[in-house]
Amino acid sequence: MCQKHYTRNRRHGNTNDPVTLTIDERLDRLIDRDAPTTLVGLGSCWEWTGSLGKNGYGSFTPNGGGVSVSAYKFVYERERGAVPDGLQLDHLCRNIKCVNPNHLEAVTCRVNVLRGVGAPAQNARKTHCKRGHEFNEQNTYYMDGGRRRGCKPCRRLRRVS
């Protein structure tokens, strides 16, 4: 505890000081449990109102000092147990400030990425190439160990040109 807080607690016995609160009390102060959500049937988002990391996800220091952890992961593990090895938590509500364990699902990295909005997810959802050829078994070839796909008719056109 810093000198300022130590002196204040000694003089006034301030029980609102974060140092004297339990982890559950500290978490309760930092979570807005009535935030709006788009998920039907899973309740509202529990939006993190505490500090945020550079990536926009909530950050929490369980012991009041020292190493900070991801707030959503900390709350999930308190409510549901440890995240299995090889899996990561996916925000089903797509709200990165949400720490509601009902809105989090343990999935593989690939599933998490493909559910997102980034380039790999957008490309995986495409059913046709840019020239309109369907991605099917006859028209598709794979590169980079199956991580990327290409269009066979377009490749033939490029070879002729």
Side-chain angles (χ1 to χ4, degrees):
M1 181 178 325
C2 73
Q3 184 64 39
K4 176 181 166 185
H5 288 99
Y6 174 79
T7 305
R8 185 177 69 192
N9 283 346
R10 186 117 194 241
R11 285 185 188 151
H12 307 289
N14 187 352
T15 58
N16 276 339
D17 194 314
V19 176
T20 61
L21 299 175
T22 67
I23 287 180
D24 289 331
E25 290 170 330
R26 289 177 51 224
L27 281 173
D28 199 43
R29 286 177 151 201
L30 297 170
I31 298 172
D32 174 11
R33 296 181 191 264
D34 296 320
T37 185
T38 58
L39 289 176
V40 177
L42 291 180
S44 63
C45 283
W46 296 0
E47 199 154 292
W48 185 254
T49 62
S51 62
L52 303 177
K54 292 178 186 175
N55 55 8
Y57 289 87
S59 179
F60 182 66
T61 310
N63 57 3
V67 179
S68 61
V69 296
S70 296
Y72 70 94
K73 186 175 181 185
F74 185 81
V75 172
Y76 180 91
E77 289 182 343
R78 278 183 76 83
E79 300 277 329
R80 298 252 174 102
V83 178
D85 285 340
L87 299 182
Q88 52 188 232
L89 296 175
D90 179 28
H91 285 85
L92 300 174
C93 57
R94 312 307 324 145
N95 177 1
I96 64 174
K97 291 183 184 177
C98 180
V99 297
N100 185 341
N102 294 326
H103 293 192
L104 299 168
E105 182 181 11
V107 297
T108 64
C109 179
R110 178 174 172 78
V111 169
N112 195 7
V113 169
L114 293 178
R115 284 181 177 174
V117 295
Q122 290 175 10
N123 286 330
R125 286 190 282 271
K126 289 180 182 174
T127 58
H128 293 76
C129 77
K130 63 183 177 183
R131 290 190 179 92
H133 303 117
E134 183 180 6
F135 283 127
N136 59 30
E137 209 172 297
Q138 295 81 23
N139 285 350
T140 308
Y141 67 95
Y142 294 91
M143 306 167 277
D144 297 336
R147 292 185 322 197
R148 290 179 43 209
R149 62 187 174 173
C151 175
K152 288 180 182 178
C154 289
R155 182 171 59 174
R156 283 195 287 283
L157 288 171
R158 282 193 304 272
R159 286 184 180 162
V160 172
S161 302

